Amino acid sequence: MKRPIEKLVTGFSWLCTIMLLGAVFSITGFLFAKGYSSLDTRLIFGDTGILDALLLKKQVFNGLFPAIAGTLVLVVMSVAWAIPVGIATGIYLAEYAGDRVRGLFNLFFDILAGIPSIVIGLFGFAFSVFLHKNVSKAIQPCLLISSIALAFLVLPYLIRTTQVALDGLPEDTRLGALALGATKMQNIFYVLLPKSLSGIMSGVILAIGRCAEDTAVIMLTGVVATAGIPGSLLSSYEALPFYIYYISSQYTTPEELLTGYGASIILLAMCVVLFSAAFFIKKRLTYMAFYRA
Amino acid sequence: MRAVKETAVERALLLSTIVSGSITLIIFGFMLFMALPLLGGGKIFQIFVGSWSPGDGSYGILPMTVGTLAISFLSVTISFPMSIGCSSFIGVLGPKRSGRYLKRIVQMMTGIPTVIYGFVGIFLLVPIVRGLASGGSGMSVITAALMLSVLISPTMVLFFNDSFERVPASYLDAADGLGASNVQKLVYVVLPNAKKGIIIGLILAFGRALGDTLVALMIAGNSTQIPGSVFDSARALTAHIALVIAADYESLEFKSIFACGMVLYLFATAIVIGVRYFAFTDRETR
Amino acid sequence: MKRTCTLFLLVVLCLVFSGLSLSFAEPLDAFKGEKGTVKISGGTAHIPVMKETARLIMTANPDIRITIAGGGSGVGIKQVGEGLVDIGNTGRKPTDDEIKRYNLKLFMWAVDGVALIVNPKNKVRSLSKAQAADIFSGKIDNWKALGGEDRKINLYTRDEASGTREVFWEKALGKGNIAKSANVVVSNGAMKSAISQDPYAIGYVSVGHIDKTVVPVAFDGVEPTIATVKSGKYAVSRGLYSNTKGDPAPLTKKFLDLLFTGEGQKIVTANGFIAVK
């Protein structure tokens, strides 16, 4: 191969790297440069006292507190739905299912993972309208529906990471407890699961991040511009990503737009911290899992 | 007693598997059921190839399908070479340590929320594109495609990098033994051996671009025309769903978004089958 | 003499102040001891007024929750009709068919206009009805033809659920065609911010939403201002409605009542709409 061409290839790869890094740094840099000045407690609590807000004594207006609280509740609820079902399914597919069943279900979950989130949101919306008409007038797009739809969205991640983590265990780990007379179930719950905890945990964190950042599902299933702190499962709520979307087009004053930048920085930081934590915890958890076994 | 417990647990696990597996089918069933009134009566053809003008009773989703495909193709076209370049840098060409740092950064990039891309798109990219293109609002196919290409690149880079790493070390040792340069190793050993992985990564990234809502909704302009150039405003299927969800539930307009949902669902299925096809032939050749 | 004067003044002042505070406190007193939720959705022109009223009520009584969503007039009617929300807002009068189908009760608490707006950098300040129709149908597609720069016109319109769009389309465009190449935005707020960022844009927005980031365009020689809309000289006007399904529930009723009090109407005027009382 000729030298100039080699140089060209190397140069190209450097160029691509610089372009990608440039894009990322201009995106984050732009956010920070514009939103830096908005970062203080007023951004979150508005004119309300911090204690009053946290103790839910007073409602927060022109602050991000309700949106952050909404996002937190939403994430906790969706993950609470998804984790038991997702991990149970992952265990079944890895340990009990035959090849053909496993193949079929894996196809289903791959498709579910590939369905655009707005389609899942649309399903959630149609489902809530259906329930409203046929089951109870109290049901409508709300926190409950959103969390269930989001659980659908992250289910494949949990199933897949559980399954892969269990599949990846070495054969002698599998056989040890069985040889000592443990039943299949004991082997799974006392040996295999603790060993694959770090893998499962990374799936859980991925799921949390996905729930926190998703906008398409919630904008069809009950998120609104103004709602205050979520009051009940059947009420509408605010959420951070939707707030950013909403402000981006509907801001009325430059100050209001500034809170959009502030919200973006908070959401960005949250998601990046989650991902860094995933790497950190993964190491830690591996250690803990070994310790327990 | 113990056996009963064992069976009970197995049953519970099976039940949750069936529940989660049925979600995939239920979603499709719902889309089909809701779109049915629109598809019946010989109108099916008109829905998928007609234009969108509710005023005249035409609820075709062709402009949105074209918009979705245009934006996704363009974004993949932009990000594919960039991702190949980056993963080559991480895997082979760049200094080892900076490669590791780059990989860390790319991993973090996968965590950037979509809505942030849209938000920055509106206030940073749209004015730039408006300035570059003589005419047009800056909200266009190319704007959305550029932002999307940054969004899907990390996925691609990580995937490519994975398949680069799966090239057997012995091949690389052999190339080293023959005195190959890094570029020669990349071009003659790594890339050909990682071909299947690259194709799969490409398809997956395309799927990600097809399914994205926020970027298209926020910066593609949402006009209902079939885009004639990359500087034209366009509407994606996903954005169409988000915009029309507001319509009267009984109207045909509203039903049409379920047709959009079906098209997106079918795209997703095609992509999964495509990926599996390549992954499967991969296993056969080895 | 002097003392009686001062005393008299004091008494008057006291009366005025207590009167003022009464008129301030009275409407909100109605919410004392109340509990519950009011759900609002629909018209996007209404949102600023809704938000401020909600804030007033929720500050006075934290036990009341008021949720506000947009969506457009079409959504407002549909959702209130289906019982999904308590109040469905519309930027147009609901049709007789809609009123009959859902048994709607109408509350018109403000008058508003729909005005053409452009970016402040744009020099075009006046358009005839025919010109407006040609611009929106795509017949005129360059600002040069209207005395502006030689740049393409960037059209912005609203989605189909919008009441603002319906009023504009009916009264300003004479139900003329709107080009498919137009960018679509989802609310009055979004329209304003889009136009304020695009120097070659034209769109239409609720008169109440016009501020210094955009410039209203005179339509057929009439400036769209509060005065011209009020006097009826500016033709593209409409009422802002809040609708309920049947008679409103007690708390919803109190919310709507507040809009018609001095305090509520003050919020209406402060947001650039025309009070009805």
Side-chain angles (χ1 to χ4, degrees):
Chain A
M1 208 180 234
K2 290 212 183 82
R3 286 247 124 169
I5 296 181
E6 290 207 357
K7 281 223 168 102
L8 207 70
V9 172
T10 316
F12 174 73
S13 110
W14 276 87
L15 182 75
C16 292
T17 307
I18 291 168
M19 269 167 58
L20 191 67
L21 287 179
V24 175
F25 286 127
S26 44
I27 288 172
T28 46
F30 177 77
L31 276 183
F32 276 97
K34 288 263 188 174
Y36 173 74
S37 59
S38 73
L39 294 176
D40 58 14
T41 51
R42 272 187 55 89
L43 172 68
I44 295 173
F45 297 105
D47 302 327
T48 314
I50 296 176
L51 260 182
D52 284 345
L54 286 179
L55 298 173
L56 308 182
K57 272 191 191 149
K58 282 187 187 156
Q59 313 238 20
V60 174
F61 299 94
N62 60 32
L64 296 174
F65 186 60
I68 292 174
T71 291
L72 283 183
V73 174
L74 184 68
V75 168
V76 169
M77 280 184 58
S78 339
V79 176
W81 296 120
I83 283 181
V85 179
I87 292 183
T89 306
I91 294 172
Y92 186 82
L93 290 184
E95 302 298 327
Y96 290 95
D99 275 349
R100 199 173 288 173
V101 173
R102 187 200 276 233
L104 180 71
F105 276 99
N106 276 341
L107 176 68
F108 281 173
F109 297 135
D110 280 355
I111 293 174
L112 186 58
I115 298 175
S117 55
I118 189 105
V119 177
I120 294 184
L122 180 59
F123 168 73
F125 177 79
F127 191 60
S128 69
V129 170
F130 175 80
L131 289 180
H132 178 81
K133 280 192 179 147
N134 297 314
V135 179
S136 158
K137 288 284 169 209
I139 299 175
Q140 43 195 290
C142 63
L143 198 50
L144 185 71
I145 298 284
S146 287
S147 67
I148 293 175
L150 273 182
F152 288 3
L153 188 74
V154 295
L155 208 50
Y157 296 87
L158 291 164
I159 295 171
R160 185 41 63 87
T161 44
T162 308
Q163 202 187 334
V164 168
L166 285 171
D167 279 343
L169 293 176
E171 200 62 13
D172 38 348
T173 314
R174 290 179 169 277
L175 297 176
L178 289 178
L180 293 173
T183 63
K184 188 171 186 180
M185 186 184 89
Q186 285 171 332
N187 192 30
I188 292 172
F189 284 95
Y190 295 116
V191 182
L192 303 185
L193 273 186
K195 287 265 189 206
S196 44
L197 207 59
S198 75
I200 297 174
M201 207 55 206
S202 67
V204 171
I205 290 173
L206 208 70
I208 292 176
R210 197 76 186 74
C211 287
E213 70 113 20
D214 189 87
T215 322
V217 170
I218 59 173
M219 67 192 274
L220 299 196
T221 55
V223 78
V224 292
T226 310
I229 304 287
S232 84
L233 293 184
L234 294 178
S235 69
S236 335
Y237 59 97
E238 295 179 37
L240 213 43
F242 182 77
Y243 181 82
I244 297 170
Y245 165 70
Y246 181 80
I247 284 297
S248 76
S249 61
Q250 331 239 4
Y251 65 95
T252 44
T253 58
E255 291 76 39
E256 211 175 334
L257 179 60
L258 202 60
T259 63
Y261 283 103
S264 302
I265 294 174
I266 293 177
L267 186 67
L268 184 68
M270 245 163 77
C271 289
V272 169
V273 163
L274 270 177
F275 270 74
S276 313
F279 295 116
F280 183 73
I281 289 174
K282 203 172 167 185
K283 259 187 250 155
R284 266 297 168 80
L285 276 176
T286 319
Y287 168 69
M288 270 172 66
F290 274 115
Y291 190 69
R292 275 184 61 195
Chain B
M1 188 60 214
R2 179 176 277 176
V4 175
K5 209 170 144 197
E6 293 263 329
T7 350
V9 170
E10 190 181 333
R11 289 264 166 80
L13 295 179
L14 175 64
L15 182 71
S16 76
T17 309
I18 292 172
V19 166
S20 36
S22 56
I23 291 170
T24 313
L25 299 176
I26 290 174
I27 292 178
F28 187 76
F30 239 92
M31 296 296 135
L32 192 65
F33 175 72
M34 295 296 284
L36 220 51
L38 201 63
L39 301 179
K43 279 203 214 140
I44 185 160
F45 192 67
Q46 206 199 332
I47 292 303
F48 291 108
V49 300
S51 71
W52 178 262
S53 47
D56 315 328
S58 169
Y59 304 101
I61 57 171
L62 182 68
M64 297 77 183
T65 313
V66 174
T68 287
L69 290 175
I71 293 171
S72 321
F73 267 117
L74 196 59
S75 65
V76 169
T77 316
I78 297 167
S79 64
F80 178 65
M82 194 155 82
S83 305
I84 286 281
C86 277
S87 36
S88 310
F89 184 91
I90 295 175
V92 190
L93 298 180
K96 276 269 140 28
R97 183 182 285 185
S98 29
R100 266 210 306 278
Y101 282 129
L102 179 60
K103 195 172 170 186
R104 212 36 76 68
I105 293 174
V106 172
Q107 276 169 341
M108 261 177 206
M109 273 180 77
T110 54
I112 300 180
T114 2
V115 69
I116 302 265
Y117 285 105
F119 188 82
V120 175
I122 290 184
F123 297 107
L124 184 67
L125 193 60
V126 167
I128 294 176
V129 173
R130 179 162 52 229
L132 288 180
S134 62
S137 60
M139 300 207 192
S140 60
V141 172
I142 185 82
T143 324
L146 278 171
M147 232 14 176
L148 265 182
S149 68
V150 185
L151 187 147
I152 59 177
S153 286
T155 320
M156 262 205 250
V157 172
L158 291 180
F159 207 89
F160 292 168
N161 192 249
D162 241 33
S163 54
F164 284 7
E165 276 167 9
R166 249 181 278 128
V167 173
S170 57
Y171 292 14
L172 291 173
D173 291 344
D176 277 338
L178 293 170
S181 69
N182 274 344
V183 173
Q184 284 171 326
K185 267 198 293 193
L186 175 76
V187 175
Y188 295 119
V189 182
V190 175
L191 286 183
N193 276 291
K195 203 171 85 192
K196 295 246 157 77
I198 291 174
I199 293 174
I200 294 174
L202 189 62
I203 302 176
L204 283 174
F206 184 66
R208 183 98 204 268
L210 277 178
D212 180 81
T213 308
L214 267 294
V215 171
L217 178 64
M218 288 164 91
I219 61 180
N222 296 326
S223 72
T224 54
Q225 63 186 348
I226 293 180
S229 91
V230 294
F231 292 108
D232 276 356
S233 155
R235 185 186 288 196
L237 284 167
T238 48
H240 186 64
I241 294 178
L243 288 168
V244 182
I245 192 82
D248 187 340
Y249 302 162
E250 257 113 60
S251 67
L252 288 174
E253 248 163 289
F254 183 70
K255 309 272 181 204
S256 84
I257 61 179
F258 290 95
C260 293
M262 263 174 63
V263 172
L264 286 167
Y265 192 106
L266 293 177
F267 278 154
T269 311
I271 278 164
V272 168
I273 289 171
V275 167
R276 289 188 148 235
Y277 172 78
F278 279 105
F280 186 64
T281 48
D282 191 30
R283 220 176 289 144
E284 253 184 352
T285 50
R286 286 251 166 101
Chain C
M1 185 63 206
K2 213 175 176 189
R3 260 176 79 177
T4 23
C5 236
T6 330
L7 208 74
F8 180 73
L9 245 170
L10 266 173
V11 169
V12 168
L13 271 175
C14 272
L15 278 177
V16 167
F17 270 108
S18 60
L20 268 179
S21 62
L22 265 181
S23 73
F24 263 82
E26 207 181 354
L28 286 173
D29 275 352
F31 293 93
K32 259 200 188 124
E34 283 280 354
K35 234 181 180 160
T37 316
V38 180
K39 294 183 162 201
I40 304 169
S41 80
T44 60
H46 308 54
I47 290 181
V49 173
M50 291 288 136
K51 261 191 170 166
E52 222 162 303
T53 316
R55 181 175 180 172
L56 211 62
I57 296 170
M58 284 157 86
T59 322
N61 183 348
D63 288 334
I64 298 175
R65 293 164 42 81
I66 298 169
T67 68
I68 303 162
S73 303
V75 180
I77 287 183
K78 190 66 200 182
Q79 294 202 337
V80 77
E82 293 282 345
L84 289 169
V85 294
D86 302 306
I87 299 176
N89 290 328
T90 52
R92 61 176 167 85
K93 195 174 181 212
T95 61
D96 291 341
D97 177 50
E98 285 165 340
I99 297 173
K100 226 192 282 157
R101 183 148 60 125
Y102 296 124
N103 181 27
L104 295 179
K105 277 257 157 33
L106 279 51
F107 299 85
M108 188 183 103
W109 44 264
V111 177
D112 182 24
V114 179
L116 280 166
I117 52 168
V118 294
N119 190 281
K121 284 188 190 136
N122 198 322
K123 293 285 172 289
V124 177
R125 288 287 179 275
S126 174
L127 292 169
S128 70
K129 193 169 180 174
Q131 280 173 323
D134 283 350
I135 292 171
F136 275 87
S137 69
K139 229 189 234 163
I140 300 177
D141 65 351
N142 198 308
W143 284 111
K144 209 173 162 188
L146 303 162
E149 276 181 66
D150 183 15
R151 287 282 297 224
K152 225 181 105 192
I153 298 176
N154 299 328
L155 280 181
Y156 286 80
T157 185
R158 289 280 306 281
D159 54 293
E160 272 98 25
S162 163
T164 311
R165 177 184 188 274
E166 200 144 319
V167 170
F168 181 77
W169 173 69
E170 202 177 300
K171 295 192 175 168
L173 300 182
K175 301 196 177 184
N177 196 19
I178 294 180
K180 284 200 167 72
S181 59
N183 291 321
V184 177
V185 294
V186 293
S187 68
N188 279 292
M191 178 67 88
K192 195 194 72 185
S193 62
I195 306 286
S196 72
Q197 288 167 54
D198 185 346
Y200 308 105
I202 188 164
Y204 51 89
V205 72
S206 143
V207 169
H209 280 245
I210 295 172
D211 60 16
K212 52 183 184 308
T213 59
V214 292
V215 179
V217 176
F219 180 70
D220 257 355
V222 185
E223 286 278 349
T225 61
I226 292 179
T228 53
V229 175
K230 206 172 183 175
S231 69
K233 237 175 112 190
Y234 186 76
V236 194
S237 67
R238 50 130 176 224
L240 294 183
Y241 295 83
S242 285
N243 311 292
T244 58
K245 187 177 178 138
D247 285 319
L251 186 59
T252 310
K253 176 88 170 56
K254 281 181 186 169
F255 179 92
L256 291 170
D257 284 347
L258 181 63
L259 285 174
F260 289 98
T261 61
E263 192 65 6
Q265 292 288 303
K266 224 184 268 170
I267 296 176
V268 167
T269 354
N271 279 289
F273 302 118
I274 296 148
V276 289
K277 279 202 174 162

